[in-house]
């Protein structure tokens, strides 16, 4: 949402972002110079936000409301219906919520971030003409060319040897993200790649960390797991990895995969959700089943072959440039907006009465 808002402004559109107060999203919007309203979206004050949004739409001649995630979908839909403007809801993850199934469709369109999600929506009753696939895009910048010095500094700060094989996982640590599958594969990986270390970047609840450490402890590998928590220097951390792994049980459209391709990193990903739409198996990475044995074979194959990692990383970088840039995402969304505005019911003229 932050990247899209910034890109649409750069393309000449008048964009105002609305988000809950005091969070990291509002800080990033401010850094991107996106005008932002921080309005309550939880608790007893949330209904007032719907009315404020309706008034804002009228006063500023807003043409369209675009929502992200379920709470915003409900609130944006209600405000859009009251103000008689079209509403687009982006669906970023597998969901059965009523917001995407039962709200009247006359004024409602959908963006899904993968074909897999689009097919799910259509199976559950959405009209195909109301659903469009628009892949996520990134504006992540590859760090400058002093790769080796930066790698040494980043790894030193993490307590990882510069000569280690680093397998990076960039996502929140959670059951559905499948990090346990990778840790279950660690013993076989270390037997063939003795320097292997496992880096987990993202929100990691203590209970989830302990669960993964307990799995690793059975083979004496707990010291090879490194948890950074949420970080702002993801590009530098990803640059310091050798392989990016995403062993998800379920997935929609992984930003980690897109960012890893942008950074020129080979990817190992499970055949879950939209992952096969992003990773070209055997070209930009390896697709595997959700089994530790498959994951270990893939990591070992890449871990033993630096040239293969380089080729896959470069192929991924080229694929990201062609299909998954922030500019490409914004252009696709802009085209969808235009199509919707041609089809949407005409908003009645505003009166001062």
């Amino acid at each position: 949402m932050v990247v899209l808002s910034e890109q649409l402004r750069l393309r000449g559109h008048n964009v105002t972002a609305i988000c809950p107060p005091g969070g990291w999203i509002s800080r990033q919007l401010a850094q991107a110079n996106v005008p932002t309203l921080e309005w309550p979206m939880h608790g007893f004050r949330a209904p007032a936000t719907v009315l404020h949004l309706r008034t804002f739409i009228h006063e500023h001649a807003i043409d369209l409301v675009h929502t992200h995630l379920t709470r915003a979908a409900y609130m944006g839909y209600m405000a859009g219906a009251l103000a008689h403007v079209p509403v687009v809801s982006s669906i970023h993850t597998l969901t059965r919520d009523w917001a995407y199934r039962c709200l009247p469709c006359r004024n409602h369109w959908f963006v899904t971030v993968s074909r897999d999600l689009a097919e799910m929506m259509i199976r559950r009753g959405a009209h195909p003409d109301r659903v469009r696939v628009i892949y996520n895009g990134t504006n992540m910048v590859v760090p400058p060319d002093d790769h080796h010095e930066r790698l040494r500094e980043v790894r030193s700060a993490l307590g990882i040897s510069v000569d280690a094989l680093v397998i990076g996982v960039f996502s929140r640590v959670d059951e559905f993200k499948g990090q346990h599958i990778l840790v279950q594969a660690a013993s076989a990986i270390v037997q063939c790649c003795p320097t292997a270390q496992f880096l987990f970047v993202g929100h990691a609840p203590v209970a989830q960390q302990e669960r993964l450490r307990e799995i690793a402890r059975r083979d004496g590998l707990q010291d090879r797991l490194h948890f950074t928590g949420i970080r702002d220097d993801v590009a530098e951390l990803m640059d310091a990895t050798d392989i990016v792994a995403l062993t998800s049980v379920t997935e929609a459209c992984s930003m980690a995969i897109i960012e890893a391709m942008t950074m020129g990193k080979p990817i190992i990903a499970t055949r879950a959700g939209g992952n096969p739409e992003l990773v070209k198996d055997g070209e930009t990475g390896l697709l595997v089943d959700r089994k530790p044995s498959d994951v270990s074979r893939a990591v070992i194959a890449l871990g033993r072959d630096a040239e293969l990692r380089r080729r896959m990383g470069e192929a991924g970088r080229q694929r990201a440039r062609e299909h998954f840039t922030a500019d490409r995402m914004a252009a696709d969304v802009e085209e969808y907006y235009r199509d919707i505005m041609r089809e949407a019911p005409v908003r009645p003229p505003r009166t001062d009465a």
Side-chain angles (χ1 to χ4, degrees):
M1 185 266 255
V2 175
V3 173
L4 178 59
S5 298
E6 180 183 24
Q7 290 295 316
L8 289 172
R9 276 177 55 80
L10 292 174
R11 300 175 79 87
H13 299 285
N14 178 14
V15 177
T16 300
I18 299 170
C19 64
W24 63 269
I25 291 179
S26 58
R27 292 195 299 272
Q28 291 199 1
L29 287 164
Q31 292 171 5
N33 295 315
V34 176
T36 304
L37 299 173
E38 296 184 69
W39 288 345
M41 292 189 175
H42 300 265
F44 69 92
R45 297 173 62 192
T49 293
V50 174
L51 300 179
H52 291 327
L53 179 55
R54 179 195 61 178
T55 300
F56 185 85
I57 290 169
H58 283 312
E59 290 180 347
H60 296 268
I62 301 298
D63 295 303
L64 180 144
V65 174
H66 191 159
T67 72
H68 296 262
L69 302 183
T70 302
R71 186 178 299 273
Y74 282 113
M75 299 176 76
Y77 176 84
M78 288 186 285
L82 291 170
H84 302 284
V85 298
V87 178
V88 181
S89 292
S90 277
I91 304 173
H92 295 270
T93 187
L94 291 169
T95 177
R96 293 182 177 273
D97 198 278
W98 287 8
Y100 310 113
R101 303 168 63 194
C102 299
L103 291 175
C105 289
R106 180 174 178 270
N107 222 40
H108 208 186
W109 286 259
F110 302 98
V111 169
T112 66
V113 294
S114 68
R115 289 195 304 273
D116 183 71
L117 276 181
E119 290 165 3
M120 176 204 72
M121 284 284 295
I122 293 166
R123 286 196 303 270
R124 294 177 181 173
H127 194 284
D129 291 343
R130 293 278 172 141
V131 181
R132 185 167 299 188
V133 178
I134 299 177
Y135 291 106
N136 288 329
T138 182
N139 58 3
M140 179 177 278
V141 177
V142 179
D145 292 334
D146 55 341
H147 169 76
H148 294 292
E149 182 59 32
R150 188 175 55 254
L151 180 146
R152 186 181 303 276
E153 292 176 0
V154 172
R155 290 193 177 186
S156 175
L158 295 169
I160 298 175
S161 167
V162 70
D163 298 320
L165 176 74
V166 179
I167 298 97
V169 181
F170 295 80
S171 71
R172 65 175 293 141
V173 178
D174 208 331
E175 183 73 21
F176 79 94
K177 286 294 187 178
Q179 289 94 347
H180 61 281
I181 300 172
L182 175 63
V183 177
Q184 288 166 355
S187 178
I189 293 168
V190 170
Q191 287 179 23
C192 295
C193 303
T195 66
Q197 301 282 328
F198 303 87
L199 178 65
F200 299 87
V201 179
H203 177 63
V206 172
Q208 292 290 341
Q209 291 187 42
E210 284 304 311
R211 178 178 180 236
L212 296 181
R213 285 200 173 96
E214 180 57 34
I215 295 171
R217 194 173 289 118
R218 298 167 193 167
D219 298 301
L221 301 176
Q222 65 273 17
D223 292 339
R224 294 177 183 253
L225 307 188
H226 306 268
F227 297 90
T228 72
I230 296 173
R231 297 282 290 255
D232 291 328
D233 56 345
V234 172
E236 287 76 12
L237 291 166
M238 193 173 279
D239 191 46
T241 67
D242 297 296
I243 300 166
V244 171
L246 190 80
T247 52
S248 307
V249 177
T250 64
E251 195 60 65
C253 178
S254 168
M255 282 302 303
I257 288 177
I258 291 171
E259 290 167 352
M261 288 193 293
T262 299
M263 296 293 296
K265 299 297 175 179
I267 299 151
I268 293 170
T270 48
R271 295 183 179 88
N275 288 353
E277 299 172 42
L278 305 181
V279 178
K280 288 288 189 181
D281 190 26
E283 296 180 23
T284 66
L286 298 173
L287 291 172
V288 298
D289 290 332
R290 303 172 184 84
K291 298 188 294 186
S293 57
D294 279 25
V295 172
S296 63
R297 280 194 293 270
V299 173
I300 291 165
L302 289 179
R304 285 175 162 176
D305 194 336
E307 175 58 22
L308 179 60
R309 296 199 301 271
R310 187 200 65 76
R311 290 201 310 270
M312 285 188 169
E314 188 52 43
R317 196 195 307 273
Q318 183 60 36
R319 178 164 169 75
R321 287 171 179 164
E322 293 174 0
H323 300 286
F324 304 115
T325 64
D327 184 67
R328 171 69 181 270
M329 174 182 66
D332 290 345
V333 168
E334 185 181 54
E335 180 183 13
Y336 194 29
Y337 288 169
R338 291 194 178 110
D339 291 345
I340 289 169
M341 295 304 296
R342 283 192 290 267
E343 181 182 343
V346 177
R347 176 169 54 185
R350 182 186 171 195
T351 67
D352 294 327

